Amino acid sequence: MQDISFRKWVTLCLIFIIAPIVLTANEQADLSGTGQQVQFTPRLIPSDIHPAEMTRLVIEINLHQTWHIYSVIQSKDPDAPPPTQLEVLDNKKNQLVLDGPVYETTPISQLIRVLGMKIDYHNDKAYLYQNLQIKSGVQPGDQLLKAELTYQLC
């Protein structure tokens, strides 16, 4: 495993239209200095969203070759690297309700002898999920969903 190199913050912006819905995903990410070791693809599933319905924000993470990204699960060891975090930022009109915590595809769990601790991480590809509910009083039209992804590559 390579040494921990840096932490990046990524803001993902998704524009969605309620009834009928067309999703436009626009990733705004500063990947300078990373050499494109990681790419993010955000989307909403289902993409046809109506007031009072549920949707899921899905972030596909593709990692280049030997790079890893840490799990969303906080390690019990205080010296462990920070977990990946996905935060849906409160939109100005407060039109969304989070439905449960962020969850992910199953990470690799490995004891790293050099560090003396178990680390949970992802190789190659991972998915993060956040379930959302659209509030019942939301008017049809363009809406902006902002999320911040905090992660550390290794």
Side-chain angles (χ1 to χ4, degrees):
M1 196 178 256
Q2 299 173 358
D3 289 335
I4 298 169
S5 59
F6 49 83
R7 180 184 294 180
K8 287 284 185 176
W9 287 266
V10 175
T11 301
L12 303 170
C13 295
L14 300 175
I15 298 174
F16 59 95
I17 301 170
I18 299 175
I21 186 85
V22 175
L23 171 67
T24 304
N26 178 19
E27 177 191 348
Q28 296 177 341
D30 176 13
L31 297 177
S32 59
T34 66
Q36 300 297 326
Q37 288 92 348
V38 62
Q39 294 178 339
F40 303 95
T41 305
R43 65 183 184 276
L44 291 174
I45 298 175
S47 59
D48 292 331
I49 309 166
H50 301 87
E53 290 185 344
M54 302 294 292
T55 189
R56 179 176 296 143
L57 172 60
V58 178
I59 310 290
E60 180 181 339
I61 304 169
N62 288 293
L63 297 152
H64 186 264
Q65 295 179 3
T66 61
W67 289 91
H68 311 289
I69 194 167
Y70 295 108
S71 170
V72 299
I73 300 167
Q74 176 69 50
S75 175
K76 294 177 185 174
D77 191 316
D79 295 327
T84 296
Q85 297 176 341
L86 175 63
E87 179 184 0
V88 175
L89 304 174
D90 190 24
N91 56 354
K92 293 179 183 176
K93 295 180 182 179
N94 197 22
Q95 299 171 337
L96 300 169
V97 176
L98 299 180
D99 184 28
V102 173
Y103 59 103
E104 65 190 333
T105 49
T106 304
I108 297 166
S109 187
Q110 183 177 8
L111 176 64
I112 308 298
R113 293 176 199 230
V114 175
L115 300 176
M117 67 181 79
K118 186 183 87 156
I119 302 289
D120 295 327
Y121 62 93
H122 297 277
N123 280 339
D124 302 321
K125 183 179 280 197
Y127 291 90
L128 300 180
Y129 306 96
Q130 176 64 67
N131 292 329
L132 304 166
Q133 181 175 12
I134 309 302
K135 287 191 173 180
S136 60
V138 174
Q139 297 297 312
D142 291 345
Q143 308 296 327
L144 179 65
L145 169 63
K146 289 186 179 182
E148 184 174 86
L149 181 62
T150 306
Y151 65 94
Q152 185 169 337
L153 293 175
C154 177

